């Protein structure tokens, strides 16, 4: 028989509740009850059963055929099976998630009948210190990373003279000074909040502005780059978590 997109074979013994669906040339084995969770398929089966003019299209093998992307449909089918958008690392690909949202809309998975996936983005934190002052630890991150954490009280103080660059203003990047003098303690704080250490870099020159008139301190330092995956903000429709 034909090989399905999940690697199994389509044989002649597929009776009972199972069916084979052809989406854009890719074959999927599933059940009508799973597919009917999507309004598109519920309407298709209902009109087919009633013998109406809006019945399903069949391919040359007699399988139900939908002229959409089979590659994207596998994610839609997993959502119908599990209730979760299982996108893995692709959840951080905004273009891919937008394509999945478009497919979900086609199958009627929006509004009250379903929930659309939300892309994830990487949030970064830089913990650093000057080499000649290992007692002072700074953190460069988005302001809400610190402000929205109720447990941060007293652990970090805002460096009010940092943030004059256009990129800093655009990304809401702020600089905080840690009250702790232990770099491992600061790294552990962010580790407990979902951040993972990605890189340790020796920077030849880091500048820290210390006064309103522009006085600064510069010198070589060590930077610890951390990141975590967070939901992309400001999407208007109801959304479902991505695993």
């Amino acid at each position: 028989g034909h090989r399905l997109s999940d690697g199994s074979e389509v044989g002649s013994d597929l009776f009972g509740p199972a069916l084979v669906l052809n989406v854009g040339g890719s074959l999927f084995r599933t059940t009508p009850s799973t597919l009917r969770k999507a309004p598109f398929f519920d309407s298709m089966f209902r009109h087919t059963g009633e013998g109406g003019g809006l019945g399903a299209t069949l391919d040359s093998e007699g399988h139900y055929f939908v002229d959409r992307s089979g590659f994207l449909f596998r994610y839609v089918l997993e959502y119908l099976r599990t209730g979760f958008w299982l996108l893995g690392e692709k959840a951080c690909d905004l273009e891919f998630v937008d394509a999945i949202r478009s497919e979900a809309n086609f199958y009627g998975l929006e509004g009250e009948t379903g929930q659309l996936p939300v892309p994830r983005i990487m949030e970064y934190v830089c913990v650093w210190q000057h080499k000649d002052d290992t007692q002072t630890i700074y953190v460069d991150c988005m302001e809400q990373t610190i402000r929205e954490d109720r447990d941060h009280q007293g652990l970090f103080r805002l460096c009010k003279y940092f943030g004059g660059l256009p990129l800093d203003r655009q990304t809401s990047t702020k600089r905080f000074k840690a009250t702790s003098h232990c770099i491992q303690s600061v790294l552990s704080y962010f580790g407990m909040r979902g951040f993972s250490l990605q890189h340790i870099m020796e920077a030849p020159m880091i500048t820290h502005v210390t006064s309103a008139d522009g006085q600064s301190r510069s010198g070589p330092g060590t930077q610890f780059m951390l990141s975590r995956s967070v939901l992309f903000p400001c999407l208007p429709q109801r959304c479902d978590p991505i695993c």
Side-chain angles (χ1 to χ4, degrees):
H2 297 281
R3 181 164 293 278
L4 292 168
S5 62
D6 60 7
S8 59
E9 294 285 335
V10 179
S12 58
D13 58 342
L14 289 178
F15 298 103
L19 61 81
V20 175
L21 179 70
N22 183 339
V23 180
S26 298
L27 300 180
F28 300 87
R29 179 159 50 198
T30 184
T31 63
S33 61
T34 295
L35 293 176
R36 293 189 96 133
K37 296 175 185 177
F40 172 86
F41 290 109
D42 183 60
S43 176
M44 183 183 78
F45 289 135
R46 188 170 60 253
H47 284 93
T48 300
E50 295 171 355
L54 296 177
T57 300
L58 303 180
D59 66 10
S60 60
E61 301 293 326
H63 305 137
Y64 291 112
F65 177 78
V66 180
D67 194 14
R68 302 289 291 190
S69 168
F71 173 73
L72 297 176
F73 180 72
R74 70 183 62 188
Y75 297 96
V76 175
L77 182 57
E78 285 304 312
Y79 174 76
L80 296 178
R81 288 168 171 163
T82 66
F84 294 94
W85 292 101
L86 306 176
L87 305 186
E89 294 181 357
K90 289 185 176 295
C92 295
D93 184 336
L94 301 186
E95 184 177 351
F96 175 81
V97 175
D98 188 56
I100 290 291
R101 288 169 65 87
S102 177
E103 289 301 292
N105 272 304
F106 173 82
Y107 292 107
L109 299 174
E110 81 286 336
E112 295 303 315
T113 59
Q115 297 177 316
L116 301 182
V118 183
R120 303 187 73 89
I121 58 174
M122 299 306 294
E123 179 183 0
Y124 295 93
V125 166
C126 177
V127 179
W128 65 273
Q129 56 189 173
H130 281 121
K131 281 190 173 298
D132 60 356
D133 181 11
T134 59
Q135 294 297 303
T136 306
I137 301 170
Y138 296 97
V139 176
D140 295 349
C141 63
M142 290 192 297
E143 184 171 8
Q144 60 264 33
T145 302
I146 298 293
R147 297 295 192 196
E148 293 180 358
D149 181 7
R150 297 177 181 178
D151 297 328
H152 93 279
Q153 206 67 22
L155 299 178
F156 302 95
R157 296 199 304 269
L158 180 67
C159 299
K160 59 182 178 180
Y161 303 119
F162 174 82
L165 295 177
L167 181 60
D168 297 331
R169 292 194 295 267
Q170 180 179 340
T171 61
S172 300
T173 298
K174 299 293 183 181
R175 176 165 293 168
F176 295 85
K177 182 179 180 180
T179 56
S180 172
H181 301 306
C182 175
I183 193 71
Q184 288 301 328
S185 176
V186 176
L187 294 177
S188 294
Y189 169 87
F190 288 103
M192 293 174 61
R193 285 150 183 82
F195 285 90
S196 298
L197 180 62
Q198 302 297 326
H199 305 286
I200 301 176
M201 297 183 294
E202 301 299 326
M205 186 66 65
I206 303 178
T207 299
H208 177 60
V209 179
T210 58
S211 67
D213 59 5
Q215 293 185 23
S216 63
R217 176 185 177 186
S218 299
T222 303
Q223 296 176 314
F224 300 81
M225 303 300 299
L226 304 96
S227 67
R228 69 178 176 183
S229 175
V230 296
L231 293 178
F232 190 80
C234 303
L235 286 170
Q237 294 157 296
R238 294 175 64 228
C239 299
D240 204 48
I242 295 175
C243 296

